[in-house]
Amino acid sequence: MDVMTAVLTRRSEHQLVEPAPNDEEFAYLLRAAATAPDHGRLRPWRWILVRGDARTALGRCFADDYDGPQPRRAQQQTKPQRAPLLATLVFTPQHAAVPEWEQLAATSAMAGSLILLLHARGFGSVWRTGRFTQSERTRHTLGLRPEERLLGWLYIGTPHPTRTPRRRTPEDITDHITVFTPELLPL
């Protein structure tokens, strides 16, 4: 699949089934995604892969941390079961000359590249965030260090076979483009 086709046909997939990429294929795709722009090649991120029974443990963590009505608590527990693989993105800013905002931009560029690479390989994904990215219990369960930030989960699997793929129609965005034309300044 060429890059333009990948960009125009990728969609957030909310119904994901097996298979998901195994650890080796995920690492292979991540090696390519990690070539995204990254000033200083700091790689200020890490991934925690959650699959199988680990999804159940993460769901229990979500339910235990939820302080709303009981029926919704059970719903929190099943969230990690929505996909066979939850790739957890952790931002690990480095103490370097590169500003933290630029390190976060590099992390986002890598994640965007990974999403396109997964799509080009026939996998689907959807980016999920929410209140649990700020949860101390979730941070502890996943083993995050104090300086790290949980950015969210990339739910990954194979798009449900009944889904009908649709190509995006690019919108006119010319009103978001300006051309710099320097004026002669008086001396």
Side-chain angles (χ1 to χ4, degrees), residues 57-80:
L58 185 60
R60 272 195 309 273
C61 172
F62 288 175
D64 290 346
D65 198 35
Y66 185 73
D67 57 2
Q70 185 59 34
R72 300 261 337 224
R73 180 176 296 224
Q75 185 181 30
Q76 304 308 309
Q77 187 164 342
T78 62
K79 283 184 174 186

Side-chain angles (χ1 to χ4, degrees), residues 114-180:
L114 180 60
I115 289 168
L116 288 174
L117 288 164
L118 286 161
H119 173 62
R121 290 287 270 238
F123 295 110
S125 63
V126 61
W127 184 249
R128 303 257 186 211
T129 58
R131 68 180 300 277
F132 296 116
T133 62
Q134 304 299 315
S135 159
E136 284 304 317
R137 179 173 292 194
T138 302
R139 290 176 52 78
H140 176 75
T141 298
L142 293 169
L144 271 64
R145 296 184 299 268
E147 69 276 8
E148 293 182 311
R149 285 200 313 241
L150 177 56
L151 297 183
W153 291 268
L154 190 57
Y155 283 53
I156 304 170
T158 298
H160 196 275
T162 60
R163 137 175 111 65
T164 306
R166 292 185 337 232
R167 188 177 184 97
R168 291 182 189 269
T169 303
E171 297 177 18
D172 180 9
I173 50 80
T174 54
D175 62 331
H176 290 267
I177 301 170
T178 57
V179 177
F180 174 68

